[in-house]
């Protein structure tokens, strides 16, 4: 029933958006109290679509105004039109109070009211052509079977035999009693539903699908295709969603302009109105995030490393996990190439190892998603403090970090009508080819803003924020292609603050280039944009471990 649920969700979301938009801000419910402020610089923050609601506390962190509008009105980001240049660049945090039984629909209306009140947001409905995909009839007769009976319409994932090791994953859906209008609505989310199972960030379909088949009535059909990342492995047997629609259904799915209902931003303030004085005392504190109960035991020799997963009911299991990994997981510093400051000699990257079986508290409800979320980072931090008697603190110390400088700039002047934004995506991978590069595209962006984004664009290279000392004024459109990870990552260089990084921000001396020919971030900036990252020492916060026990306390 996986895809059938997708269809219901789409229709429900569209209906909710229509009803919500029809509400007047004067009649819409509002949060009891809300803290609204500009977000701090946290490149690791995950934007939870719709926000997190737990124990009467609603949180939506590091969200752009487009994210806020998307969450409040239940529309896709590409359906938000107009507005000032900063609309999808500035980030905000919203923390609000409401009774625990409040429904997701009511919270959407409350968020609409908050945007109108605190940001003076004014929007109106319109219909505009946006880039999407058109579903039409192919040259021959459609390969569809007219639906028989009045069974529940929808698309389901049929039971499949276990996949043998090394076999290529294939996505299969079986659709029954489905109209072409319904299929076009379902198709984009259906493809996206399968993509994340392979860690895929981008789907085949990056826009809405318009039904132009002219086919009436309901139909039965099956559809099989491979995800993008599986195509190189599948070779000649691989099939894209476009070829699958063509060959299996006798239809065409092609890029095209799609007239869609949009929300047009007429006006909005960049700074929210001040919080009320009582916001610090009236907001419910965040609920304690720690395992309700946990068993921690030394792993038996030869235990395979399993870094952990949550099972139904909140049960968490991890086996053969190095204590070092637990530290990086708890303090979210996986990108640091070197050791922690103050790490005892008995604690290495591989030893000691432990098995953990624990019970998490109830997950927070993620509005807009079909599941809850567990804050493993906070729970692991509490576990280390409690069971390993860990004590630590942050302090500023002189560290090697990077600054953006001008070399021989090769930049393109920005189209000032575009919003300021940066997006990253992996290029397609050729069969039997090397790992594909990362492509970063920024539009209408200043050098100061680009420098601020570099840590997000290339986190494996840059541990500390990058200030701008290029002296370049104005706004620019930028495209950059580079290897997602530096060739010398395992050796500790090439990463902001790393021990072995080369002079001028280049790769570490003596480290060979990527054998695949991939371009490092440093070389890409220099050769493609005429910019460079220069290493300088400056005070940066460092986690210092004051104490940690070699063995956990008894269970």
């Amino acid at each position: 029933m996986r895809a059938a649920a997708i269809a219901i969700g789409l229709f429900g979301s569209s209906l909710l958006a229509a009803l919500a938009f029809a509400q007047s801000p004067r009649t819409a419910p509002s949060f009891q109290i809300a803290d609204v402020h500009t977000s701090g610089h946290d490149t690791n923050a995950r934007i939870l679509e719709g926000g997190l609601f737990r124990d009467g506390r609603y949180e939506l962190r590091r969200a752009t105004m487009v994210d806020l509008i998307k969450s409040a009105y239940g529309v896709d980001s590409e359906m938000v039109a107009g507005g000032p240049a900063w609309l999808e660049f500035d980030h905000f945090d919203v923390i609000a109070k409401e009774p625990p039984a409040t429904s997701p629909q009511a919270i959407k209306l409350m968020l609409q009211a908050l945007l109108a009140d605190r940001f003076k947001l004014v929007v109106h409905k319109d219909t505009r052509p946006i880039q999407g995909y058109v579903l039409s009839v192919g040259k021959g007769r459609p390969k569809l079977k007219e639906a028989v009976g009045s069974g529940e319409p929808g698309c389901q994932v049929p039971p499949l035999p276990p996949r043998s090791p090394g076999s290529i994953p294939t996505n299969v859906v079986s659709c029954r009693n489905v109209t072409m209008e319904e299929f076009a609505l379902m198709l984009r989310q259906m493809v996206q539903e399968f993509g994340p199972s392979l860690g895929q960030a981008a789907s085949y379909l990056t826009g809405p699908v318009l039904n132009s088949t002219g086919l009436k009535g309901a139909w039965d059909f099956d559809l099989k295709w491979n995800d993008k990342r599986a195509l190189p492995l599948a070779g000649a047997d691989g099939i894209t969603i476009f070829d699958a629609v063509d060959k299996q259904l006798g239809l065409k799915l092609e890029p095209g302009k799609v007239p869609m209902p949009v929300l047009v931003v007429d006006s909005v303030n960049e700074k929210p109105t001040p919080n009320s004085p009582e916001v610090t005392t009236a907001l419910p504190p965040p609920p304690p995030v720690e395992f309700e109960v946990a068993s921690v035991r030394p792993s038996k020799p030869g235990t395979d490393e399993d870094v952990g997963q949550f099972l139904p009911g909140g049960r968490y299991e991890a086996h053969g996990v190095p204590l070092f990994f637990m530290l990086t997981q708890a303090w979210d510093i996986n990108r640091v190439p070197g050791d922690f400051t103050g790490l005892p000699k008995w604690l290495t990257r591989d030893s000691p190892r432990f098995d953990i079986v624990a019970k998490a508290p109830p997950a927070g409800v993620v509005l807009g998603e079909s599941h809850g979320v567990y804050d493993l980072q906070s729970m692991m931090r509490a576990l280390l403090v409690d069971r390993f008697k860990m004590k630590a603190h942050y302090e500023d110390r002189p560290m090697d970090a990077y600054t953006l400088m001008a070399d021989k700039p090769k930049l393109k002047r920005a189209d000032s009508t575009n919003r300021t934004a940066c997006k990253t995506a992996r290029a397609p991978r050729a069969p039997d080819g090397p790992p594909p590069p990362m492509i970063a595209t920024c539009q209408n962006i200043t050098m100061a803003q680009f420098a601020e984004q570099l840590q997000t664009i290339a986190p494996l290279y840059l541990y500390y924020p990058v200030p701008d000392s290029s002296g370049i004024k104005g706004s620019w459109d930028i495209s950059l292609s580079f290897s997602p990870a530096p060739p010398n990552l395992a050796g500790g260089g090439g990463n902001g603050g790393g021990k072995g990084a080369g002079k001028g921000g280049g790769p570490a001396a003596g480290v060979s280039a990527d054998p695949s020919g991939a371009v490092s971030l440093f070389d890409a900036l220099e050769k493609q944009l005429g910019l460079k990252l220069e290493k300088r020492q400056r005070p940066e916060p460092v986690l210092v471990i004051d104490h940690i026990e070699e063995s956990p306390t008894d269970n």
Side-chain angles (χ1 to χ4, degrees):
M1 298 298 291
R2 187 179 184 182
I6 293 173
I8 294 170
L10 274 174
F11 295 133
S13 175
S14 301
L15 180 60
L16 173 61
L19 292 176
F21 191 83
Q23 291 278 344
S24 165
R26 190 179 308 167
T27 60
S30 59
F31 292 115
Q32 294 178 356
I33 193 166
D35 173 9
V36 184
H37 58 269
T38 302
S39 301
H41 184 83
D42 182 2
T43 59
N44 297 308
R46 175 192 172 199
I47 298 174
L48 296 174
E49 182 178 329
L52 180 67
F53 189 50
R54 181 175 54 198
D55 294 344
R57 181 183 170 99
Y58 172 76
E59 295 185 26
L60 183 56
R61 294 188 179 274
R62 198 161 172 77
T64 66
M65 182 54 63
V66 170
D67 295 324
L68 291 169
I69 294 172
K70 175 182 175 181
S71 299
Y73 289 92
V75 297
D76 291 333
S77 55
E78 62 263 28
M79 307 304 184
V80 181
W86 56 265
L87 210 66
E88 52 183 316
F89 190 84
D90 292 5
H91 294 84
F92 304 94
D93 291 350
V94 175
I95 305 171
K97 176 183 179 181
E98 200 55 37
T102 305
S103 69
Q105 293 86 348
I107 288 179
K108 285 179 180 287
L109 298 178
M110 293 174 186
L111 189 55
Q112 290 179 37
L114 180 141
L115 295 178
D117 176 39
R118 303 293 299 276
F119 290 91
K120 309 306 176 187
L121 173 69
V122 178
V123 298
H124 74 271
K125 292 187 294 185
D126 198 357
T127 299
R128 295 186 179 182
I130 68 172
Q131 185 60 48
Y133 301 85
V134 177
L135 182 68
S136 60
V137 174
K139 294 181 179 179
R141 290 176 57 86
K143 303 174 184 178
L144 304 169
K145 180 181 178 182
E146 289 190 23
V148 178
S150 56
E152 182 180 353
C155 296
Q156 303 180 29
V157 180
L160 298 175
R163 188 161 55 88
S164 59
S167 62
I168 307 305
T170 300
N171 304 322
V172 182
V173 292
S174 181
C175 299
R176 297 293 180 266
N177 201 20
V178 171
T179 67
M180 285 297 100
E181 197 70 31
E182 292 168 341
F183 179 57
L185 270 175
M186 286 188 285
L187 188 54
R188 180 185 181 188
Q189 195 162 346
M190 186 188 300
V191 173
Q192 290 174 333
E193 180 78 358
F194 283 99
S197 64
L198 290 175
Q200 184 176 337
S203 167
Y204 284 111
L205 306 177
T206 56
V209 179
L210 175 69
N211 172 37
S212 290
T213 63
L215 298 175
K216 306 299 181 181
W219 307 87
D220 295 343
F221 54 90
D222 297 329
L223 189 63
K224 301 179 182 180
W225 75 97
N226 298 110
D227 283 303
K228 275 186 175 181
R229 293 184 63 177
L231 285 174
L233 303 174
D237 295 329
I239 185 167
T240 68
I241 188 66
F242 305 103
D243 288 340
V245 169
D246 178 17
K247 297 176 180 179
Q248 299 167 25
L249 306 184
L251 306 175
K252 290 192 300 182
L253 183 62
E254 300 174 312
K257 291 291 185 178
V258 178
M260 293 293 293
V262 297
L263 283 181
V264 181
V265 177
D266 298 314
S267 60
V268 62
N269 292 343
E270 188 170 5
K271 293 184 178 180
T273 57
N275 292 316
S276 62
E278 66 270 19
V279 71
T280 55
T281 56
L283 275 175
V289 184
E290 57 188 20
F291 291 116
E292 293 180 349
V293 63
S295 168
V296 184
R297 301 180 185 277
S299 301
K300 294 180 179 179
T303 301
D304 292 334
E305 182 176 334
D306 176 3
V307 296
Q309 62 178 327
F310 283 101
L311 303 174
R315 181 183 174 91
Y316 176 79
E317 288 192 21
H319 301 279
V321 181
L323 181 57
F324 185 91
F325 178 81
M326 294 163 62
L327 290 170
T328 61
Q329 190 177 45
W331 270 266
D332 203 14
I333 50 179
N334 296 282
R335 298 171 300 176
V336 180
D339 292 339
F340 294 84
T341 300
L343 200 69
K345 292 183 178 180
W346 55 261
L347 203 165
T348 70
R349 289 180 178 271
D350 297 315
S351 180
R353 294 170 176 259
F354 297 93
D355 297 342
I356 302 172
V357 179
K359 173 69 169 63
V365 176
V366 183
L367 308 179
E369 298 187 7
S370 59
H371 55 80
V373 64
Y374 295 100
D375 187 354
L376 178 59
Q377 179 182 341
S378 296
M379 286 187 278
M380 190 61 69
R381 188 177 299 190
L383 180 74
L384 290 168
V385 171
D386 177 41
R387 303 297 299 276
F388 290 87
K389 303 306 176 185
M390 179 176 172
K391 296 180 180 179
H393 72 279
Y394 280 97
E395 63 180 56
D396 285 347
R397 294 190 177 187
M399 300 297 293
D400 287 338
Y402 289 101
T403 298
L404 183 66
M405 306 290 293
D407 187 18
K408 297 178 181 179
K410 296 177 282 187
L411 302 170
K412 178 184 177 183
R413 284 284 180 185
D415 180 349
S416 60
T417 62
N418 289 330
R419 294 180 189 156
T420 300
C422 276
K423 294 179 172 59
T424 57
R426 293 294 292 268
R429 181 171 185 169
D432 301 322
M438 183 70 71
I439 299 176
T441 305
C442 300
Q443 61 183 29
N444 196 18
I445 196 168
T446 66
M447 280 297 104
Q449 292 170 329
F450 179 60
E452 179 184 339
Q453 289 294 302
L454 274 174
Q455 192 184 11
T456 302
I457 291 171
L460 293 179
Y461 290 85
L462 305 166
Y463 181 58
Y464 300 117
V466 179
D468 170 44
S469 292
S470 67
I472 300 173
K473 306 298 182 182
S475 296
W476 310 89
D477 290 341
I478 292 173
S479 181
L480 189 67
S481 175
F482 61 97
S483 173
N488 52 329
L489 180 61
N495 193 318
K499 296 179 181 178
K503 295 180 180 180
V511 176
S512 61
D514 190 330
S516 70
V519 179
S520 73
L521 172 70
F522 309 105
D523 288 341
L525 284 168
E526 184 176 353
K527 295 177 181 178
Q528 299 170 26
L529 303 179
L531 305 173
K532 64 180 180 179
L533 288 173
E534 185 174 286
K535 186 190 296 183
R536 298 177 178 178
Q537 274 213 338
R538 60 174 179 264
E540 293 289 353
V542 174
L543 179 68
V544 180
I545 297 177
D546 302 306
H547 179 79
I548 187 168
E549 296 287 341
E550 188 170 359
S551 299
T553 58
D554 293 338
N555 292 313

